[in-house]
Amino acid sequence: GHLKDYSINIEWEGMDLFRMVLKKAILRCVDFRDFLIENKILFAFDEDILKEGSYENISKMLTDESIKEIIKITFGEKMTPSGRGKAAYVINWILNRISDANKDRYPRDIVDLLNESLIKEKESGNEVENKIISHRSLLDALTDVSSRRLHEFENDEYPSYKNIFEGFRGKKTPFEKEL
């Protein structure tokens, strides 16, 4: 073998990331699963599928359309993060926020963002109309998750670049050209 001449890129499509997170939520949270069944987004499961924890069978049930419906019910269809300006589809907003500079997305990032948004929603104690998790909780979660991810990036992955990261702290983007 000439393995040095062989490479493969693993890329996650947006719907596959949502599918992965929703499979876990459906298997772990009976109330969420029952809510989806009651609202006819998913149809009643065969108990054996749940006992086996069959991700494959649940994947088949989570079509792109059902995923969009679940996100819509969970977060609403559109959001305007600043309260003004053009509204974005929540599904696209989430995917854009978890993408890195190369437009790569990783399961850990979507799992962290959605878990943290649920925690924020529970902590808020507010009742949200027409959705399960408010945009405020999603925005607050993004701030916390981004800070943690940056900390991991600086300290664990690239500790030798700490001075460069410090140079960017407190700056606004896009950067002004300094003479």
Side-chain angles (χ1 to χ4, degrees), residues 7-173:
S7 69
I8 187 167
N9 286 333
I10 298 174
E11 295 178 5
W12 286 85
E13 295 296 325
M15 287 304 196
D16 290 332
L17 287 167
F18 281 111
R19 189 172 285 109
M20 178 203 61
V21 170
L22 290 171
K23 282 187 287 191
K24 289 183 181 211
I26 288 166
L27 285 171
R28 293 181 180 167
C29 183
V30 174
D31 290 341
F32 184 59
R33 181 177 63 239
D34 290 346
F35 175 80
L36 296 176
I37 292 168
E38 286 170 21
N39 286 283
K40 303 211 182 329
I41 294 169
L42 295 178
F43 298 99
F45 288 86
D46 179 336
E47 281 298 315
D48 291 336
I49 292 173
L50 295 176
K51 287 177 186 168
E52 293 170 16
S54 173
Y55 284 117
E56 184 179 341
N57 289 331
I58 293 172
S59 285
K60 291 175 188 173
M61 297 172 72
L62 289 170
T63 64
D64 287 0
E65 287 308 310
S66 65
I67 291 169
K68 289 175 186 174
E69 271 306 303
I70 293 168
I71 299 303
K72 184 177 170 181
I73 284 175
T74 304
F75 297 103
E77 185 172 16
K78 291 185 175 185
M79 67 186 283
T80 315
S82 64
R84 59 187 183 283
K86 193 173 181 181
Y89 285 100
V90 173
I91 201 163
N92 294 334
W93 186 90
I94 291 170
L95 291 172
N96 288 335
R97 295 313 173 283
I98 65 163
S99 297
D100 67 14
N102 294 319
K103 304 286 185 213
D104 292 328
R105 303 172 182 133
Y106 303 99
R108 162 182 67 183
D109 297 326
I110 195 167
V111 168
D112 289 349
L113 179 61
L114 298 182
N115 279 339
E116 188 67 28
S117 67
L118 182 59
I119 291 167
K120 295 286 185 195
E121 190 62 42
K122 287 178 179 178
E123 287 174 351
S124 78
N126 297 329
E127 293 223 3
V128 185
E129 196 172 310
N130 300 327
K131 53 189 158 243
I132 298 169
I133 298 174
S134 70
H135 297 160
R136 171 58 34 215
S137 294
L138 189 57
L139 288 164
D140 290 348
L142 178 65
T143 300
D144 289 357
V145 169
S146 295
S147 293
R148 279 196 309 266
R149 182 70 181 115
L150 181 60
H151 180 76
E152 290 168 6
F153 192 74
E154 288 177 340
N155 295 316
D156 300 336
E157 296 178 34
Y158 296 98
S160 61
Y161 294 127
K162 196 162 190 90
N163 291 338
I164 295 170
F165 292 124
E166 287 300 322
F168 286 113
R169 217 167 293 294
K171 304 263 184 186
K172 301 275 184 195
T173 58

